[in-house]
Amino acid sequence: MATEEPASEHALRASRTYGAAADHYRRAALSFWDRFGAATVSRLRLAPGGTVLDLCCGAGASALRAADEGLANVELRHGDATRTGLPGGGFDAVVCVFGVFFAPDMAAFVREMWRLTGPGGVLAVTTWGPGLFEPANSLFWRCVGEEEPALYKAFNPWDEITTPAALAGLFSRAGVPDPAVAAAAGQHRLDHPDQFWDVVLGSGYRATVDALGPERRDRVRESLLADLRSREITSLRTDVVFGTAVRPG
């Protein structure tokens, strides 16, 4: 997915964040990546031999699940997902799970994904719902704000599109007709409150804690975990919104 144009600073920041977070993707506390990747692919009704493009793929939760559904020849590429340079209409399914909100122009990104979806193919975009990782989320941002006010919610693009109406509106602005959009409530269980720090290091929060530097990061960690332990928090809100659209054949 090479491109002659340099990636935007927005894209570079997201790339740096999730590149750093990759060392935690397989931790038990982050099993939601695989779970929601699988839930997205299950909505595609894939046929053996089909071609699937998984954009913003992370550790490949969606792509690998697609392979489990009977697809083979998985190929991984590094590039700008918003400007793939791939030929139009070349895929039976185009999937983006928890990635669309990192694009500075989300409508343009969805429009590009729709361009890549072939006749009879399916576009699937999954976003987080409201209140992600609550109640731990609010405690995290409070601890960050006490340590460095300038970093308080300075990087949380996943909160920009959290409802079925918002996702349906995004499809509409991108020129994608008749999307099927559905919200699903969820809870994610942790074995111990301390496991939330694995979530911090293996998600978009990573940009914030890395910006703190070692000493302030350690203070935020100590304060946050003490709060989580005192409240015995082991359940996190993980609502999601699924959106799919079929391109006419």
Side-chain angles (χ1 to χ4, degrees), residues 81-173:
T82 66
R83 298 176 299 194
T84 66
L86 295 169
F91 296 92
D92 298 302
V94 177
V95 180
C96 184
V97 180
F98 305 136
V100 70
F101 37 71
F102 290 114
D105 187 338
M106 289 189 284
F109 186 18
V110 173
R111 193 176 302 117
E112 169 67 3
M113 288 190 271
W114 189 237
R115 181 187 71 81
L116 296 166
T117 306
V122 183
L123 168 62
V125 177
T126 300
T127 71
W128 290 114
L132 178 61
F133 299 145
E134 292 293 0
N137 173 72
S138 292
L139 298 177
F140 169 78
W141 287 117
R142 191 195 71 191
C143 292
V144 168
E146 290 173 350
E147 190 64 42
E148 178 48 78
L151 290 176
Y152 178 81
K153 293 192 175 182
F155 185 72
N156 60 326
W158 47 88
D159 285 338
E160 293 181 17
I161 180 165
T162 60
T163 66
L167 185 54
L170 176 59
F171 273 74
S172 177
R173 293 196 304 278

Side-chain angles (χ1 to χ4, degrees), residues 13-76:
R13 185 176 188 184
S15 177
R16 288 193 298 266
T17 297
Y18 282 87
D23 60 357
H24 278 66
Y25 283 164
R26 294 303 181 189
R27 299 288 180 94
L30 286 99
S31 62
F32 51 79
W33 294 131
D34 288 345
R35 185 166 73 253
F36 292 122
T40 300
V41 171
S42 72
R43 295 168 175 265
L44 303 182
R45 299 180 181 178
L46 297 173
T51 56
V52 178
L53 177 63
D54 181 12
L55 296 170
C56 307
C57 64
S62 303
L64 295 177
R65 178 53 185 258
D68 291 341
E69 294 288 325
L71 305 181
N73 302 317
V74 175
E75 177 184 350
L76 300 178

